[in-house]
Amino acid sequence: MKKILENIRYDLYRSMFRKSYVVKIILIAAVCLMSQVDVLRDLYYGRSLEGYDIIGVYNFIIHFDRFKIVLLVIIASIYTDSFCVDFNCHYLKYIIVRSGLKIYIISRIIAICISGIIAYIGGVTVYFIILASKMPLTELENPIFPQEAFASFEELPPHEHAWLWLTLTSVLFILSVLIFCVAGFYLSIFLTDSLAAICMPTILYFALASVTFLFPEILYIPAYGNNVLLLNGGMWVNYFYKILVNIAGIVLFTALSYLKLRRKGYEGVL
């Protein structure tokens, strides 16, 4: 346990304690703003934002791929290419000798997830602070985004449970992003190129979204990052189903990464 905690601390230091990490948090906030053009334009010109609310705007942007595609590049650039850096700098074997292959993989994946979650929370928080000076958290009278937009969350009305709604929605969304970042880490073992590793989560998401669009909605990849209903049984059944699918995907690509490096002979490196 001590060894894995030391490795996680080392990986978190590498992924988060640098100037570029702050830049990426700012970029996430900027992407949130740019994903709703009407709001951005009205903010720029100082126009009234009557009828808009923070929850409505946030719910709108997470349902559109233009937000998720750019966000994937930003979050993937934090630490998804860590294997490529280790490999190309020729100290991969030394790190695995010190920690062991299982700990190396688990530590890298945990760092990818934690650094990605904190960056997303930071960026969205900055975004909310900017909006909070111009619009309320929820709008009950003549909202631009009516309550019908939250129909799949009928058991959790946002005007009654605003912060809980934001938290649950954000957790689901960021997990759906992280599964592609972890998939990018797995693919980086084959590619060993940092730029390819950073771009691969976006390419993979775009390809799968395009293909699964042709199949029943339960197979549509983007639906696993928002509050669209996929199963009968109401909000909570759908919510925990999506959470489990996303976590299972992260675990799957973690296992595949370990098996691939094991086949390459890294487990027995001494």
Side-chain angles (χ1 to χ4, degrees):
M1 180 60 70
K2 183 178 178 181
K3 183 178 288 188
I4 191 170
L5 290 176
E6 288 176 352
N7 277 267
I8 292 171
R9 184 168 63 247
Y10 167 74
D11 284 321
L12 289 176
Y13 181 84
R14 282 183 63 187
S15 62
M16 296 172 62
F17 288 87
R18 46 186 179 178
K19 294 178 181 178
S20 62
Y21 190 72
V22 177
V23 173
K24 286 159 189 174
I25 290 175
I26 295 171
L27 285 174
I28 290 170
V31 170
C32 290
L33 283 169
M34 290 186 290
S35 293
Q36 231 305 336
V37 179
D38 293 338
V39 173
L40 182 63
R41 183 178 60 244
D42 290 343
L43 281 172
Y44 179 79
Y45 288 109
R47 296 172 181 167
S48 172
L49 290 172
E50 184 179 354
Y52 283 100
D53 58 4
I54 293 174
I55 282 187
V57 173
Y58 184 63
N59 187 59
F60 179 83
I61 64 175
I62 65 172
H63 283 77
F64 285 83
D65 286 343
R66 62 187 178 188
F67 171 59
K68 196 167 187 176
I69 286 173
V70 178
L71 187 71
L72 272 167
V73 175
I74 297 171
I75 293 182
S77 69
I78 296 174
Y79 209 51
T80 298
D81 66 332
S82 55
F83 172 83
C84 301
V85 173
D86 295 339
F87 181 85
N88 293 321
C89 291
H90 306 291
Y91 51 72
L92 176 63
K93 290 183 179 180
Y94 300 103
I95 296 175
I96 294 178
V97 165
R98 185 184 66 187
S99 64
L101 181 56
K102 287 182 181 179
I103 291 177
Y104 173 81
I105 294 295
I106 293 171
S107 176
R108 288 297 190 276
I109 299 303
I110 289 175
I112 289 170
C113 293
I114 291 177
S115 60
I117 289 170
I118 293 175
Y120 183 73
I121 291 172
V124 170
T125 300
V126 171
Y127 169 64
F128 286 164
I129 290 172
I130 293 171
L131 292 188
S133 63
K134 300 292 182 180
M135 64 180 70
L137 187 59
T138 60
E139 175 64 60
L140 295 179
E141 297 181 6
N142 302 316
I144 298 295
F145 302 102
Q147 289 298 308
E148 288 76 13
F150 306 94
S152 58
F153 264 36
E154 75 283 352
E155 298 172 41
L156 193 69
H159 63 278
E160 296 179 8
H161 308 279
W163 291 109
L164 179 58
W165 186 95
L166 282 171
T167 300
L168 292 176
T169 303
S170 296
V171 167
L172 182 59
F173 182 80
I174 191 60
L175 281 178
S176 72
V177 169
L178 290 175
I179 188 175
F180 285 96
C181 292
V182 176
F185 178 85
Y186 167 65
L187 294 174
S188 73
I189 297 172
F190 298 87
L191 303 171
T192 66
D193 179 83
S194 290
L195 181 59
I198 291 169
C199 294
M200 193 51 62
T202 303
I203 295 170
L204 186 62
Y205 173 80
F206 184 78
L208 289 175
S210 300
V211 172
T212 57
F213 179 75
L214 304 173
F215 295 101
E217 193 171 33
I218 196 170
L219 299 176
Y220 185 47
I221 293 297
Y224 285 84
N226 56 47
N227 51 32
V228 171
L229 292 177
L230 296 177
L231 303 174
N232 294 325
M235 168 200 158
W236 294 110
V237 170
N238 279 269
Y239 184 79
F240 286 113
Y241 166 70
K242 292 179 184 181
I243 291 289
L244 288 174
V245 168
N246 283 311
I247 291 175
I250 292 172
V251 172
L252 173 63
F253 284 112
T254 300
L256 289 174
S257 299
Y258 168 74
L259 291 173
K260 180 59 181 177
L261 286 177
R262 183 181 176 184
R263 291 193 193 101
K264 291 169 74 73
Y266 284 101
E267 187 178 41
V269 170
L270 295 174

